[in-house]
Amino acid sequence: MKVPAVEMKSSCPLAPWLVSLVFMIGTLGLTLPAFGQEAEGFAAAKLPAPFQAEQVEAGKRVYFTKCVWCHGVNGSGDGPGADRLWPRPRNFNSGTFKIRHTASGELPLIEVDLLQTVTHGLPGSAMPSWEGILSEEQRKNVLAFVTTELVQDRSWQDEEFEELNVLQLETLTPIPPTPESVLRGSELVVENKCIECHGLEGRGDGNAFNLKNDWGFPIQPADWHKCWNFRGSRQDAYNVKNIFRTFSTGINGTPMPSFADNMTIEDRWHIANYVQSLCERDKDIDIAGGKVTEEIATALTTAQPRGIDPLTDKPKVNFVIPSKFVEGELPTDEFDERWYDERWKKEGRRIIAMGGQITHKPRNFVNRIDDIWVQSVYNETHVTLMFRWDDRSKSVLEDEVDWDPYEVNLEDYGIEEQAPGGSKFDDDPFHQDSIAAKQVSYQVFNDALAFQMPIKYQELPAPRKPRYFWGDEGFPVDIVKWTADGNLLAYEGTGWDQDLEDRDDFTEQIKLVKAEWKEGRWTVIISRPLKADYEEDAYIELGKYIPINFFVWDGHNGDVGRKMGVSAFYYLVLEPPIPAEAKWYAGLAAVGLVIVEGWILTRRSNRRKAQGTS
């Protein structure tokens, strides 16, 4: 790669230093390493021809209609909506793009990488899919404008400085995701120190709060258990090639490097197979802190992927949460086999979609927990719910606060919604005062989880439900809330703006069975009576569809009071136990069918013999 002198844009604060370095390298007769030419699996490609002026002008009209609100007038990622988005919108000026088939540090393929990004969006971010909104011609036109006018520091026509070495993904033969490959991949993520950022079990908890992108904004490592949030994988969540691509090219602008220079193609496939196997399946598999055995690897490769909803590009949601009857004492930990009988492994675990509460201040524009998992069992007197969700840190309030747990109007204590910053600070090119940029500077509160049910759901006129947010005066709700400091309290809610009513009498009847944060995941198990005071508590009846919804607080995100994640309404259903005699009936029926079938076959055989002799 040639390295002649280059005139850097004044918008880059490192420009003088880079110019001096390049000049020194040229003077000494040194050359920079050509990454793509040396890396296994890449091939050189030609730079694209410039776009026609009419296409650029047409793309400008599209950009200022659809894209400017996030990416800004000059494409520097500082549009009016940027300060409320996590991660922040792309700054086009430097020509740094994350999702590519090209080697680390190189520009992307416009008609492949950038077109796919505009077409499918970027899952796990605010970048939506524009397919069905913009025509293919409009999508290509807007890329012509962005790459020609808004990318300022680089050029796709700069043959002196730029080159394209493209990962030959379609011609490379994947290694099948066998247990042996998955096991080897689990070893490679340790050997290559991937766990230092992504954590021992790959939940993004290894280095969760110290990483920044090239623009100075905090970012977090990917959670490997949520492949539907991987950038560049929308509508293709379980395709292992997407993971192989990322390990081969790296993610420009972030600390995620390329492994193409120091890892063989075979090893990259092994890592990709392991990471892909961690994505949530139809049953939860304990990977023992990343110490994968042959048995674990086999379980990972045989489990079936969860279905993806094509409308949301997230796992399909079932709004009915079944509760299974168990004999005797209810489970006291997540390892009890009664959670995991063969049918319950697939049908008992439900994913609950969580969204940021943005209806009332202080609002949660940057929601960090987007789903939780729930399972339920019950016996003659109590129902137990097990909650599990990924959280990159265990957050526990260390200092005392001025308000009581039942109070929600915390603006009286100075807890207010942070005003957006970002583009208001034009003298600061990194805009560090935006909501999205200050994710590491919030006061830390308790991680927490709560669920609510209407107190008198039987009297709700269908299809009405109480207000999703702590009920209303007409239909109050029964709330159980756990906080990471070990408290489990019961409340009555009569409205989003009303302080909760402390229910000491019912608090004595509910039980925190377990609360543990481990390897980036919370496990919380709560037990409560089926039947209490009908006038004050939800009366849980067999076979009824009981409205229930959920709330979650990420203490490191500054979540407290009304700043939280919230779900829609689901339905908890206690499935009637199967009587013992019903099992006998099924067995007798099966035996009877065998006898009848044997009789029919015997009679048919005898008839054929008789016909043969006659």
Side-chain angles (χ1 to χ4, degrees):
M1 180 187 295
K2 298 180 181 179
V3 189
V6 56
E7 180 183 355
M8 300 295 292
K9 298 279 184 177
S10 60
S11 61
C12 176
L14 298 180
W17 181 85
L18 287 174
V19 171
S20 300
L21 176 63
V22 172
F23 178 77
M24 180 180 68
I25 291 174
T27 303
L28 296 177
L30 302 176
T31 58
L32 292 176
F35 168 89
Q37 295 175 348
E38 301 297 328
E40 189 179 4
F42 288 79
K46 293 183 179 180
L47 295 173
F51 288 101
Q52 298 296 320
E54 315 85 69
Q55 194 173 3
V56 174
E57 187 61 28
K60 182 178 181 179
R61 291 192 293 271
V62 175
Y63 181 88
F64 280 96
T65 302
K66 302 294 185 182
C67 313
V68 68
W69 314 107
C70 293
H71 293 284
V73 173
N74 298 315
S76 52
D78 61 350
D83 302 312
R84 304 224 184 250
L85 302 180
W86 171 270
R88 286 182 64 93
R90 174 63 47 241
N91 181 336
F92 297 129
N93 298 162
S94 64
T96 302
F97 295 89
K98 290 182 176 181
I99 309 304
R100 313 166 331 283
H101 285 75
T102 54
S104 179
E106 295 184 353
L107 292 168
L109 302 175
I110 298 175
E111 299 257 336
V112 177
D113 301 322
L114 297 187
L115 184 59
Q116 286 181 359
T117 295
V118 175
T119 299
H120 299 303
L122 293 175
S125 78
M127 175 64 180
S129 166
W130 291 99
E131 188 175 26
I133 301 173
L134 298 176
S135 67
E136 183 176 359
E137 181 182 9
Q138 288 176 312
R139 281 175 266 148
K140 290 182 176 181
N141 288 343
V142 77
L143 290 176
F145 172 71
V146 168
T147 57
T148 302
E149 298 294 333
L150 300 185
V151 175
Q152 300 173 10
D153 298 339
R154 306 175 70 175
S155 171
W156 274 263
Q157 284 73 55
D158 190 346
E159 297 183 355
E160 195 170 16
F161 281 97
E162 304 292 350
E163 62 181 9
L164 298 179
N165 294 280
V166 182
L167 180 66
Q168 303 300 294
L169 193 55
E170 297 307 317
T171 61
L172 295 175
T173 303
I175 292 178
T178 61
E180 293 76 18
S181 177
V182 168
L183 182 60
R184 178 56 183 150
S186 71
E187 297 167 347
L188 286 168
V189 298
V190 177
E191 294 173 11
N192 288 276
K193 301 181 179 181
C194 304
I195 60 173
E196 292 185 2
C197 288
H198 294 280
L200 293 174
E201 292 194 355
R203 300 184 189 278
D205 60 305
N207 189 4
F209 303 111
N210 298 310
L211 302 178
K212 293 187 177 182
N213 62 21
D214 285 2
W215 297 271
F217 295 115
I219 57 175
Q220 293 182 313
D223 182 341
W224 290 343
H225 295 257
K226 299 182 180 182
C227 59
W228 51 84
N229 280 342
F230 290 173
R231 309 296 188 266
S233 66
R234 178 163 280 162
Q235 299 180 355
D236 203 14
Y238 294 107
N239 190 342
V240 71
K241 290 184 177 181
N242 296 329
I243 304 171
F244 178 87
R245 179 202 63 219
T246 297
F247 275 100
S248 298
T249 66
I251 301 180
N252 287 350
T254 79
M256 174 64 189
S258 162
F259 289 88
D261 272 346
N262 55 12
M263 189 180 293
T264 65
I265 289 178
E266 180 180 352
D267 283 349
R268 279 179 264 158
W269 281 120
H270 290 322
I271 283 188
N273 284 334
Y274 173 62
V275 171
Q276 198 271 348
S277 76
L278 295 183
C279 194
E280 294 286 357
R281 295 300 200 260
D282 57 0
K283 55 186 177 182
D284 191 24
I285 299 172
D286 183 5
I287 63 170
K291 297 178 181 179
V292 177
T293 62
E294 292 182 7
E295 182 180 3
I296 293 174
T298 300
L300 289 172
T301 54
T302 55
Q304 296 300 310
R306 298 191 69 88
I308 299 295
D309 187 333
L311 296 178
T312 64
D313 294 309
K314 303 282 187 181
K316 291 180 179 178
V317 169
N318 188 325
F319 286 93
V320 176
I321 302 170
S323 186
K324 181 182 66 170
F325 178 79
V326 297
E327 296 280 358
E329 295 295 322
L330 291 168
T332 57
D333 60 46
E334 68 272 28
F335 304 109
D336 192 301
E337 284 299 318
R338 289 174 294 177
W339 295 112
Y340 304 111
D341 69 41
E342 202 54 42
R343 181 179 75 86
W344 221 244
K345 286 179 181 179
K346 297 183 178 181
E347 298 181 17
R349 195 169 67 122
R350 291 287 190 257
I351 187 170
I352 308 298
M354 307 298 294
Q357 189 287 113
I358 58 173
T359 307
H360 303 288
K361 292 183 179 182
R363 293 168 289 210
N364 196 4
F365 288 103
V366 181
N367 187 44
R368 302 287 279 276
I369 299 173
D370 51 9
D371 55 60
I372 60 176
W373 297 86
V374 61
Q375 288 175 265
S376 180
V377 294
Y378 74 99
N379 62 13
E380 291 84 355
T381 60
H382 287 72
V383 61
T384 291
L385 294 102
M386 178 170 69
F387 303 96
R388 309 190 87 179
W389 70 96
D390 289 1
D391 187 342
R392 289 179 172 87
S393 66
K394 177 181 180 179
S395 304
V396 180
L397 180 64
E398 296 181 355
D399 301 323
E400 292 186 3
V401 294
D402 297 330
W403 59 87
D404 291 314
Y406 58 83
E407 294 186 81
V408 299
N409 295 300
L410 303 186
E411 61 272 14
D412 298 338
Y413 301 95
I415 302 297
E416 298 179 354
E417 183 173 311
Q418 181 181 349
S423 55
K424 293 183 179 180
F425 298 85
D426 293 330
D427 57 333
D428 179 0
F430 294 130
H431 304 322
Q432 295 288 357
D433 289 311
S434 72
I435 287 178
K438 294 197 108 177
Q439 296 303 293
V440 295
S441 60
Y442 284 124
Q443 179 181 351
V444 175
F445 297 104
N446 283 316
D447 290 336
L449 176 134
F451 59 93
Q452 73 174 23
M453 293 180 280
I455 291 176
K456 295 185 178 181
Y457 67 89
Q458 299 93 332
E459 300 179 18
L460 283 168
R464 182 176 174 182
K465 301 181 185 69
R467 198 166 191 277
Y468 78 97
F469 197 168
W470 300 340
D472 51 57
E473 290 186 4
F475 290 100
V477 292
D478 170 343
I479 301 173
V480 174
K481 182 177 180 181
W482 163 86
T483 50
D485 57 6
N487 285 321
L488 181 67
L489 301 173
Y491 303 103
E492 179 179 307
T494 56
W496 68 269
D497 59 343
Q498 301 298 312
D499 288 337
L500 304 176
E501 180 183 338
D502 204 342
R503 294 285 322 284
D504 292 335
D505 56 334
F506 194 55
T507 293
E508 295 176 357
Q509 301 179 60
I510 58 179
K511 180 182 178 182
L512 178 61
V513 179
K514 182 173 183 177
E516 179 185 49
W517 184 89
K518 185 179 180 181
E519 309 297 355
R521 178 162 70 166
W522 274 109
T523 298
V524 175
I525 303 176
I526 298 170
S527 178
R528 59 162 290 160
L530 292 177
K531 300 177 181 179
D533 186 341
Y534 176 77
E535 295 299 322
E536 297 179 333
D537 308 299
Y539 189 87
I540 303 175
E541 294 183 273
L542 192 68
K544 298 294 181 68
Y545 285 73
I546 305 169
I548 183 171
N549 66 308
F550 308 90
F551 308 89
V552 65
W553 291 259
D554 180 355
H556 197 279
N557 193 43
D559 292 1
V560 69
R562 286 190 290 266
K563 184 172 186 278
M564 61 191 175
V566 62
S567 78
F569 269 105
Y570 288 69
Y571 292 95
L572 177 67
V573 179
L574 274 59
E575 295 186 342
I578 300 175
E581 56 270 22
K583 299 177 182 178
W584 282 104
Y585 294 153
L588 290 173
V591 172
L593 285 173
V594 171
I595 294 173
V596 171
E597 185 177 2
W599 176 76
I600 293 173
L601 293 175
T602 301
R603 187 177 179 185
R604 184 181 298 171
S605 177
N606 291 337
R607 185 182 301 166
R608 287 176 178 171
K609 289 180 180 179
Q611 291 175 349
T613 57
S614 59

